[in-house]
Amino acid sequence: MEKIKGPVSVRKHDPRDDLIMATNNSSIVSKRSVERLYHPHRPQYFRHFVKKPQRRSPLINRGYWLRMRVIEKAVQDFIVEPSPKRKIVLNLGSCQHVTFVDVDYEQLMRRKAQVLDQTLELRNLLSSIRQDHGRPGLLFRSDQYSAVACDLRDLESLEPILRAEFDLDQCQVLCVAEVSITYMDVEAADRVVRWAAKLPDARFCLLEQILPDGEKHPFAQQMVKHFDKLSTPLRTVHTYPTTMHQERRFLSAGWHTATARNLWDLWCDAEIVTSAERVQLHDVEPFDEWEELAMFAAHYFLLVASTSMIQSARRKEALMAETHRDVERIHADLEYRINPKGLGRRRYSALISSCEAFALQGGMGTASRLASCDSYARSDMSSDPPFRPPSLPSTARMCHTITPVTSTKSLLVGGRSSPTEAFSDCWLYDAERMAWHTAVPLPSPRYRHCAVKVSAGQVLVYGGKDGTGKILNEWLLWDAEIGWHAVSTCETGLAARFGACMVATGAESGILFGGMSSDGNVLDEIWEWSLSLTGVPTLSVTSRSVPSRKVAGSASMFGRFGAATCISPWGVCIFGGIISERLLRHDEEIVTDGGHSSTLRSLLSQDHHPRPLLIGISIHNDDQSITIVGGGAVCFSFGTHWNEGVWTMSPLGSPVRAFSLLPAPAQRFHDSLDSLQFSAPPSEQSYVSPIPRVHITSQADFDTLVRQGQPVILEGLNIGPCTEKWDFEYLKERIGAERPVVYHQATSENMNFLEKNFSYVTAGFGSFLDRVRNGETVYLRSLSSSKPAECPASIFEDFTAIAGDFYLPPQLQTAMSDCHSSPLRISGPVRMWLHYDVMANVLCQIRGSKRMILYPPADARHLQLPAGASSSMVNVFDGAGVHDTSLARTHPHEAWLHVGDVLFIPSLWLHAATPTDLTSIAVNVFFRTLTEGYAVGKDVYGNRDVQAYEKGRGDIGRIVQSFKRLPPLMRRFYLERLAAELQEQAQAAEP
């Protein structure tokens, strides 16, 4: 059962109580998600209280799994504790020989009592059920469970109800409050704590929020702001912000013992969550949000108090870890430059360095993973430096590395899209040519690996994780001539890890530290490595003793996961990440060895600048300064925090030459047209031309593109707030979960219109979104809501609740003026078959990303288009794909679309699409480019061929029929002559 939420019975109704009850409902939905996914073989009790289950994100699932686990452990410990007394648990589950009493809002308790009464599976668990007891406040009673409607702010009413049912003086009572009394006024909450302490034999289990590093920590700010916005503020967290404060609160209220530990500490405790259990969790649901889980867990605590003198289970070391103590500090000067609003938001990117500038490539953006780059330069530079790397011509990614190999070349290695889709491809960026070139791929995919430059232009890579969840323990060396080869090492005892830090302290030597093991524990180790390039490359790795810890029993500052590191004017610097058991304090987040390894010192600057969240950041360093850029995190269900600027640190007293985000270049439209390359001569293997990206500033620019009839990706256009708003929860709420839609349910990831390997399914919109979220091969191309068989789709008429979120900018007014249709498209991991449309269209990518392959109309003869059909039999994504020798005479063009991109697809250009994210949301706007000649009659999808072609096919039938009486050889002779005349006419019509 869900825990106390500040119930009401005799008090006057407070509207805020309704809002608090809403938090209860949301919590139960999350617990139901955990129950379905992580405990499928256990009784599914939460399903009776959640009509429509929702699968929560992996982060929320993992966080609630941990919440449920620690509460369950506390209750189990109470139940198995030897005692001759009857045991009562206030507000938790069901168990033999124990009575459970649920105290909650009257409205919620009546709902629960009704579910219990109407659900046979639950009633069968209970005996001696009585609902006609006639006692005020007692809504449901059985030998195992009772439901009480009462207000915890009215303890004078609660105690008589309990004493009428139980002899409390002869019972052991466990009070459980899970994120509940924190919503009450502090004095009222403290009264509950004091009241329970007066019971003769009592325990208290309290789970709620804390502020372990104060209210200025970015996660704490996001959490507090979230509950304030819901009008359900966390009232006690400001009075009792740490576990130490909570323990003192209970001890001063009369409890004999009180032990409080944050949930991240409990996660790391093998007595609470075993190593095997942590490994098994990955098998249920792939997960890579470790920093975000650690921050959430460190901001929640579990306290167990007792009125008897039982042995405290709390480790003394953990108590010491949360006691603030001074750390030796080095001060630095700092300059902060805020980014233009909404720009520069990306985390888990990789950095490309230049002399006076740098760029962040890839990473996770506001709505999806990115392939693009953001460029930064010194704020005091008088001219814009020519350092603007183009987008990576491959799948968008995060958790990859980019390592400089020469002054002008950098190597990109691996990365991932989702945790199950790791990449092995590698790319070499040439700053002189401002171009990416493919490099030899890795022997196996990986992400969250380490990479450093060694010797003359070589790159050493260690560890990481692949798409199956395997943690890697191999060393690889790359050079431009040979590519990749394994580096042999002696047996060292070095365990496989990912998310570690590695830095080169010499040309062929360095240190490796931190990381995470396969069971989700942060490793507190330092290893020194030395590379020998004489003959076969070999590596010597030796363990270095961890420097004296500032806090006994807590992780050293080297024991980090997901941190950034560099060589700086202060020596080796370590930035952010997470540590075992607790949250890093502000004065521990950035530390340096000061040029030696004996003791780490805190590197601090002025506090009047916004505090960065040092998760998913990138570091640029040179002889003058360190720059922190990018980063941020999803703060559980409380929203996303982004670092909105650039922090540049320099030694105290040195001039700070700060970096700033460069605005997008003002590329002249006609200059960009001059540089477009649309095709290449055919060869034995097709050459794939990248579709160019251009900026347009006027309707005339777009009209020029339409006349040219070549595809382009339009960047920097404003298509409305849909790119920010349209997540699944928003769409489900606005459109309606029950609204019926018709979608494609495919039997494989490759949909084929001619083979019809899919069926049309009618279901509720919410059900469809759940299938997409679950990774099913489903695809929605919306139809008209009024007359689907007669009228074209229009997002502006069919989805009025969200229509205001999407629009075409003035530059695309031509498309709107001559609009034929505008369908909404939502898809899971499924590919759209190769086909052409008679009308031109602009494809607006709103969520997710996709790869598009396009062919010019002249290639249709090579692409297996049956007569009269607009869909091809060719699958350009399977096997050799576009490089298949059977397609050698074609001219494929490739586009990688990301959020906000608009792809112009000219009339008759064949195209196919494959998602590069698990989900994709887009809107097409089809528009007419002819004043006359389109098919007569209904054309719902806009893909009926023009009148002349449809009439011509009829004429061909009649012509063939007129030759039927001739002998076969003569019939073929004349038909081929007519075909040749048609071919001559077709060639004469070419521009």
Side-chain angles (χ1 to χ4, degrees):
M1 295 295 172
E2 189 64 5
K3 315 307 175 295
I4 305 169
K5 297 293 184 184
V8 171
S9 59
V10 299
R11 295 175 65 92
K12 182 179 179 181
H13 178 71
D14 186 341
R16 291 177 299 177
D17 295 336
D18 295 330
L19 301 172
I20 296 172
M21 281 190 281
T23 69
N24 177 86
N25 298 336
S26 176
S27 176
I28 291 179
V29 171
S30 297
K31 291 180 178 180
R32 172 60 179 147
S33 178
V34 173
E35 180 184 63
R36 294 179 68 207
L37 190 63
Y38 286 86
H39 305 299
H41 304 300
R42 289 188 184 183
Q44 301 287 292
Y45 295 129
F46 282 107
R47 70 185 176 92
H48 303 295
F49 301 92
V50 179
K51 291 183 178 180
K52 297 177 181 178
Q54 302 175 26
R55 180 165 179 169
R56 298 299 203 196
S57 69
L59 173 61
I60 293 178
N61 281 337
R62 191 67 61 97
Y64 267 92
W65 182 93
L66 182 56
R67 273 178 58 167
M68 295 165 72
R69 162 53 63 89
V70 300
I71 290 285
E72 180 182 37
K73 180 69 166 56
V75 176
Q76 287 177 343
D77 288 347
F78 170 74
I79 291 173
V80 301
E81 180 186 335
S83 174
K85 297 180 180 180
R86 182 179 184 181
K87 297 192 176 188
I88 299 173
V89 178
L90 295 179
N91 303 331
L92 193 66
S94 177
C95 184
Q96 190 178 9
H97 306 308
V98 179
T99 300
F100 294 84
V101 183
D102 212 0
V103 183
D104 217 322
Y105 284 102
E106 182 174 1
Q107 179 180 340
L108 292 179
M109 295 316 304
R110 291 196 179 280
R111 189 185 310 158
K112 290 180 181 180
Q114 183 180 17
V115 172
L116 286 167
D117 185 53
Q118 297 176 353
T119 307
L120 183 61
E121 180 182 349
L122 297 179
R123 289 179 63 88
N124 288 340
L125 299 172
L126 309 175
S127 60
S128 303
I129 297 175
R130 297 181 295 282
Q131 291 181 276
D132 56 349
H133 37 72
R135 293 175 183 169
L138 189 60
L139 302 182
F140 187 97
R141 191 188 189 288
S142 69
D143 291 341
Q144 297 82 10
Y145 173 83
S146 295
V148 175
C150 189
D151 187 342
L152 286 183
R153 294 166 292 188
D154 184 16
L155 296 172
E156 292 78 8
S157 297
L158 176 61
E159 185 162 348
I161 296 173
L162 296 177
R163 288 195 176 275
E165 289 296 309
F166 311 104
D167 184 357
L168 294 180
D169 295 334
Q170 299 302 316
C171 294
Q172 270 193 334
V173 180
L174 171 64
C175 300
V176 180
E178 181 184 356
V179 190
S180 56
I181 63 173
T182 188
Y183 297 120
M184 301 167 64
D185 292 336
V186 176
E187 176 55 32
D190 285 347
R191 286 186 64 227
V192 174
V193 174
R194 291 193 297 269
W195 168 81
K198 294 177 182 178
L199 297 173
D201 193 354
R203 310 285 186 273
F204 206 113
C205 176
L206 176 65
L207 188 150
E208 58 188 38
Q209 298 88 345
I210 50 174
L211 306 174
D213 196 34
E215 299 180 12
K216 291 185 178 181
H217 189 282
F219 184 98
Q221 290 181 328
Q222 195 75 31
M223 179 177 72
V224 171
K225 182 173 67 175
H226 168 79
F227 286 101
D228 287 347
K229 186 177 180 181
L230 294 178
S231 297
T232 57
L234 304 175
R235 300 184 184 278
T236 61
V237 74
H238 303 288
T239 306
Y240 306 109
T242 69
T243 54
M244 183 182 300
H245 288 98
Q246 289 287 354
E247 289 179 343
R248 291 173 178 169
R249 172 193 193 186
F250 274 73
L251 294 175
S252 64
W255 294 87
H256 288 171
T257 63
T259 299
R261 298 170 64 184
N262 73 70
L263 299 197
W264 186 236
D265 181 19
L266 295 172
W267 166 269
C268 300
D269 188 340
E271 294 183 3
I272 307 298
V273 187
T274 68
S275 175
E277 285 176 319
R278 289 192 290 264
V279 172
Q280 290 168 1
L281 290 177
H282 181 83
D283 296 334
V284 176
E285 185 175 38
F287 184 79
D288 192 39
E289 291 80 13
W290 291 106
E291 297 95 331
E292 293 158 334
L293 176 66
M295 284 195 300
F296 155 77
H299 280 82
Y300 280 71
F301 73 94
L302 180 77
L303 178 143
V304 177
S306 174
T307 56
S308 60
M309 296 299 294
I310 61 173
Q311 179 66 35
S312 174
R314 182 154 200 206
R315 298 191 302 273
K316 293 181 180 179
E317 294 88 342
L319 264 173
M320 295 173 64
E322 296 191 5
T323 304
H324 189 281
R325 39 182 51 78
D326 290 331
V327 179
E328 185 180 355
R329 302 180 179 185
I330 302 175
H331 288 273
D333 286 328
L334 181 142
E335 284 291 331
Y336 173 72
R337 294 287 186 270
I338 190 169
N339 296 333
K341 185 176 181 180
L343 300 182
R345 291 178 172 179
R346 59 178 74 208
R347 59 188 191 271
Y348 300 105
S349 306
L351 189 140
I352 312 172
S353 294
S354 181
C355 181
E356 292 291 319
F358 62 85
L360 283 191
Q361 192 284 323
M364 184 68 193
T366 55
S368 66
R369 286 165 287 276
L370 305 171
S372 60
C373 295
D374 282 334
S375 293
Y376 296 78
R378 300 276 188 192
S379 302
D380 57 5
M381 294 192 66
S382 58
S383 60
D384 190 3
F387 188 72
R388 294 184 178 275
S391 296
L392 182 72
S394 183
T395 309
R397 66 194 63 208
M398 58 190 290
C399 302
H400 52 300
T401 58
I402 296 179
T403 309
V405 293
T406 69
S407 60
T408 59
K409 292 184 173 62
S410 300
L411 180 69
L412 182 152
V413 176
R416 69 167 177 87
S417 54
S418 71
T420 59
E421 295 183 57
F423 301 132
S424 60
D425 60 332
C426 299
W427 296 80
L428 198 64
Y429 177 68
D430 187 335
E432 290 182 330
R433 294 176 174 79
M434 296 183 64
W436 293 96
H437 305 285
T438 56
V440 176
L442 288 160
S444 59
R446 69 197 61 215
Y447 62 93
R448 286 203 188 254
H449 50 277
C450 304
V452 296
K453 176 186 176 182
V454 294
S455 192
Q458 296 174 307
V459 176
L460 181 67
V461 167
Y462 171 72
K465 194 173 187 179
D466 69 12
T468 69
K470 179 183 177 182
I471 313 301
L472 306 173
N473 196 21
E474 61 183 349
W475 296 82
L476 300 172
L477 187 68
W478 176 91
D479 65 45
E481 295 182 2
I482 302 175
W484 293 101
H485 48 95
V487 179
S488 62
T489 59
C490 301
E491 181 61 36
T492 62
L494 175 66
R497 66 197 62 208
F498 67 107
C501 288
M502 186 163 67
V503 61
T505 55
E508 295 170 5
S509 61
I511 58 173
L512 170 77
F513 56 91
M516 183 172 284
S517 58
S518 59
D519 65 354
N521 262 339
V522 178
L523 297 167
D524 189 9
E525 302 171 348
I526 307 175
W527 298 81
E528 294 180 338
W529 54 267
S530 178
L531 180 66
S532 173
L533 296 175
T534 304
V536 178
T538 59
L539 196 76
S540 171
V541 184
T542 56
S543 176
R544 182 207 289 182
S545 60
V546 175
S548 299
R549 298 176 175 185
K550 289 293 179 183
V551 179
S554 71
S556 77
M557 292 300 97
F558 281 104
R560 303 194 184 201
F561 170 84
T565 186
C566 71
I567 301 294
S568 75
W570 300 276
V572 174
C573 277
I574 310 171
F575 303 81
I578 60 173
I579 61 174
S580 181
E581 300 178 358
R582 63 183 179 87
L583 188 73
L584 279 168
R585 295 195 310 266
H586 184 34
D587 61 355
E588 300 170 325
E589 287 186 316
I590 305 176
V591 293
T592 175
D593 68 352
H596 54 84
S597 59
S598 59
T599 304
L600 289 176
R601 294 181 286 177
S602 172
L603 184 61
L604 290 177
S605 59
Q606 302 97 319
D607 290 331
H608 59 271
H609 296 294
R611 178 176 174 180
L613 180 57
L614 299 181
I615 299 295
I617 61 168
S618 297
I619 301 295
H620 175 266
N621 64 298
D622 53 34
D623 295 336
Q624 307 173 45
S625 60
I626 296 173
T627 299
I628 302 170
V629 64
V634 175
C635 298
F636 202 60
S637 58
F638 313 135
T640 302
H641 177 91
W642 292 101
N643 291 333
E644 302 285 9
V646 185
W647 291 260
T648 304
M649 304 175 70
S650 294
L652 203 62
S654 301
V656 181
R657 298 185 62 209
F659 283 87
S660 298
L661 175 65
L662 296 177
Q667 183 181 22
R668 291 189 303 161
F669 171 69
H670 294 290
D671 289 347
S672 65
L673 284 183
D674 294 339
S675 63
L676 299 188
Q677 298 292 325
F678 292 107
S679 62
S683 62
E684 293 184 3
Q685 191 179 82
S686 302
Y687 172 82
V688 183
S689 301
I691 294 178
R693 292 176 171 269
V694 301
H695 290 258
I696 60 175
T697 59
S698 66
Q699 182 178 353
D701 290 344
F702 181 65
D703 292 345
T704 300
L705 288 174
V706 173
R707 287 193 299 272
Q708 287 186 333
Q710 303 283 358
V712 293
I713 301 171
L714 305 174
E715 291 187 314
L717 296 178
N718 180 13
I719 57 175
C722 53
T723 54
E724 293 283 345
K725 289 185 175 182
W726 285 10
D727 58 34
F728 280 8
E729 299 307 320
Y730 177 84
L731 292 178
K732 189 181 295 186
E733 175 188 353
R734 300 288 292 174
I735 295 174
E738 302 302 323
R739 172 172 171 171
V741 293
V742 180
Y743 62 87
H744 300 69
Q745 176 78 58
T747 58
S748 77
E749 64 179 8
N750 296 305
M751 287 200 301
N752 188 307
F753 183 78
L754 298 175
E755 294 180 357
K756 289 294 193 297
N757 64 341
F758 56 84
S759 57
Y760 295 103
V761 178
T762 302
F765 182 66
S767 173
F768 164 74
L769 290 183
D770 291 340
R771 290 179 179 274
V772 175
R773 197 196 309 268
N774 292 336
E776 296 188 32
T777 50
V778 292
Y779 178 85
L780 170 68
R781 193 271 192 198
S782 68
L783 304 174
S784 167
S785 59
S786 57
K787 297 180 179 180
E790 300 180 17
C791 300
S794 169
I795 192 169
F796 308 105
E797 299 175 4
D798 304 329
F799 298 97
T800 55
I802 62 171
D805 300 337
F806 169 80
Y807 44 76
L808 292 187
Q811 297 95 313
L812 303 185
Q813 183 57 40
T814 299
M816 282 303 300
S817 299
D818 298 318
C819 177
H820 167 271
S821 57
S822 53
L824 171 68
R825 299 181 186 268
I826 305 177
S827 70
V830 65
R831 296 166 173 171
M832 170 59 68
W833 60 84
L834 184 66
H835 68 285
Y836 69 82
D837 297 301
V838 177
M839 295 188 187
N841 82 88
V842 285
L843 173 60
C844 305
Q845 190 67 27
I846 294 171
R847 284 277 178 163
S849 57
K850 61 166 63 100
R851 178 188 177 211
M852 303 279 297
I853 298 295
L854 287 78
Y855 292 90
D859 284 353
R861 73 195 78 169
H862 306 300
L863 294 172
Q864 302 179 35
L865 285 166
S870 59
S871 297
S872 167
M873 294 291 292
V874 174
N875 183 346
V876 297
F877 298 116
D878 265 3
V882 295
H883 299 300
D884 193 298
T885 55
S886 66
L887 303 178
R889 298 184 62 80
T890 63
H891 307 82
H893 293 59
E894 184 178 48
W896 296 83
L897 299 185
H898 308 289
V899 173
D901 285 343
V902 177
L903 174 64
F904 167 58
I905 305 177
S907 172
L908 303 181
W909 275 71
L910 290 95
H911 51 280
T914 183
T916 53
D917 275 333
L918 295 179
T919 61
S920 172
I921 302 177
V923 173
N924 284 97
V925 177
F926 292 90
F927 61 98
R928 303 173 182 85
T929 54
L930 301 177
T931 56
E932 59 182 358
Y934 287 111
V936 178
K938 291 186 296 185
D939 186 9
V940 172
Y941 295 98
N943 61 352
R944 280 187 58 186
D945 287 302
V946 296
Q947 289 183 47
Y949 178 72
E950 290 185 347
K951 180 178 182 300
R953 291 199 66 227
D955 292 340
I956 287 176
R958 288 187 287 274
I959 291 171
V960 172
Q961 186 64 33
S962 68
F963 283 92
K964 284 290 188 181
R965 297 182 181 180
L966 295 178
L969 290 177
M970 184 176 291
R971 183 164 67 246
R972 177 174 179 176
F973 173 81
Y974 283 112
L975 286 174
E976 287 182 344
R977 290 204 64 191
L978 286 175
E981 289 185 46
L982 280 174
Q983 184 65 37
E984 289 176 6
Q985 292 295 323
Q987 292 173 352
E990 290 183 1

